[in-house]
Structure formats: C-alpha cells, structure tokens
Amino acid sequence: MSITRSIEAKLAAAFSPERLEVVNESGLHAGHQPSFDGEGETHMRVRIVSAAFEGMGRVARHRAINDLLKEELDAGLHALAVEAAAPGEPVRW
C-alpha cells in the first residue's frame, strides 16, 4: 500500500472526517538537496475536517495526527503539513 493510501485509511478510521485530502507534495521539493529528485512520497499535506477536532487547539490536532502517523514518519515520510479543522471552522482550501 502506498504511503498516501495508508495515511488516508488511518485518518478515515481514526477521525471519521467530513472532508479528507492527502496531497503528495514531494515533487515540489525536488532539488532542495542534491540527492533528492522529488520522486516518491516524502512530503505530504493532510487537509482534514472532523468533528473529532472540536474543542482541540491547533497543536493538539497536529499531535493527534502525528501520533497516528508515527509509523509512516519513522519509515521515511520526511515532511507532513497538517491543515485540520472542526466542522464549521473556516478553511483556506
């Protein structure tokens, strides 16, 4: 299973989101280091709206997602951008 699909499955199971988007942004980072060509799944963005985040601050939401995706981070996911919101909160996407 790809990292993208693994992330989607874990987030869906844990947070029952109203909206979920997992974007592979690895290609945007090609050339940032001499040996990195932008291939693979090393830089991801998670956009998620879930009632599970109601009453949680931004840092707590990020920690919950990072804790859930620890296996992917330990296996080589280099960067994870998180845009998490509760229903009714404004989002930029």
Side-chain angles (χ1 to χ4, degrees):
M1 178 183 300
S2 73
I3 292 173
T4 301
R5 297 289 174 239
S6 176
I7 291 171
E8 288 171 345
K10 286 183 176 184
L11 292 171
F15 298 112
S16 300
E18 290 181 5
R19 270 174 84 184
L20 175 62
E21 183 179 1
V22 179
V23 181
N24 182 352
E25 296 184 337
S26 301
L28 300 175
H29 299 274
H32 287 187
Q33 293 193 14
S35 62
F36 185 65
D37 61 5
E39 295 295 318
E41 295 177 295
T42 58
H43 296 71
M44 307 298 281
R45 179 172 301 275
V46 168
R47 294 175 170 153
I48 184 170
V49 176
S50 172
F53 298 131
E54 290 179 356
M56 293 174 74
R58 187 171 70 88
V59 172
R61 293 172 184 184
H62 284 236
R63 283 186 181 146
I65 291 170
N66 284 338
D67 289 347
L68 182 68
L69 302 179
K70 183 179 182 339
E71 183 179 335
E72 287 76 10
L73 289 161
D74 289 346
L77 179 59
H78 175 72
L80 180 64
V82 175
E83 298 176 52
E89 293 179 347
V91 294
R92 298 181 309 201
W93 43 278

